[in-house]
Amino acid sequence: MVVVRAVLGALILLLNWVFTPKSIKREANEQAAIDAQTTKLALYQYAACPFCVKVRRAMKRSALNIETRDAKRSEQFKEELLQGGGQLKVPCLRIEDDNGEVSWMYESGDIISYLESRFNPTDAEPNPA
Ligand SMILES: N[C@@H](CCC(=O)N[C@@H](CS)C(=O)NCC(=O)O)C(=O)O
């Protein structure tokens, strides 16, 4: 089982690398403004978890420079996730607001929807015209 999991993990990482999505291009000032906001976000994840790969690919497509924290390899990140989010489950997005309030978002689909609606609002709500 351990071997099967390791092979599947390696395959996921290989396919992800071969089919790396292209990032959207923004004006430099617009990207800088988004980069400033994404310093307040961190993705707790595992390298070869397919749900985490899905979120990382969405981040890459949207050119979101969000710090990733490997909760399998780092005891510190694992502990932060457990204490802050309440569950040892990945992916989980740590969101700090302008007042320093922190919230934790689980579920890859919810994380992707959140990122798209916050940073690519035109993708989330296509213009019918
Ligand atoms: N429905 C979740 C599934 C997440 C999930 O199953 N993650 C696995 C790693 S691939 C996990 O954290 N498992 C640990 C656990 O459930 O305790 C999502 O889409 O994010």
Side-chain angles (χ1 to χ4, degrees), residues 44 70-71 74-83 88:
Y44 286 73
D70 193 318
S74 159
E75 273 304 313
Q76 184 196 324
F77 293 151
K78 183 176 169 177
E79 204 45 42
E80 286 174 8
L81 176 60
L82 256 175
Q83 295 300 321
L88 185 56

Side-chain angles (χ1 to χ4, degrees), residues 44-114:
Y44 286 73
Q45 49 103 46
Y46 299 160
C49 155
F51 305 99
C52 304
V53 169
K54 193 171 85 168
V55 174
R56 294 202 306 267
R57 290 175 69 81
M59 285 161 39
K60 175 82 169 65
R61 267 195 303 276
S62 298
L64 300 176
N65 298 310
I66 297 172
E67 182 189 344
T68 55
R69 297 179 177 173
D70 193 318
K72 197 183 280 282
R73 298 216 169 113
S74 159
E75 273 304 313
Q76 184 196 324
F77 293 151
K78 183 176 169 177
E79 204 45 42
E80 286 174 8
L81 176 60
L82 256 175
Q83 295 300 321
Q87 294 175 73
L88 185 56
K89 188 173 167 192
V90 290
C92 181
L93 186 67
R94 181 186 189 276
I95 306 166
E96 189 178 331
D97 72 15
D98 292 339
N99 302 319
E101 292 283 321
V102 172
S103 57
W104 299 78
M105 180 181 284
Y106 287 96
E107 289 301 319
S108 52
D110 291 348
I111 295 170
I112 292 170
S113 300
Y114 169 80

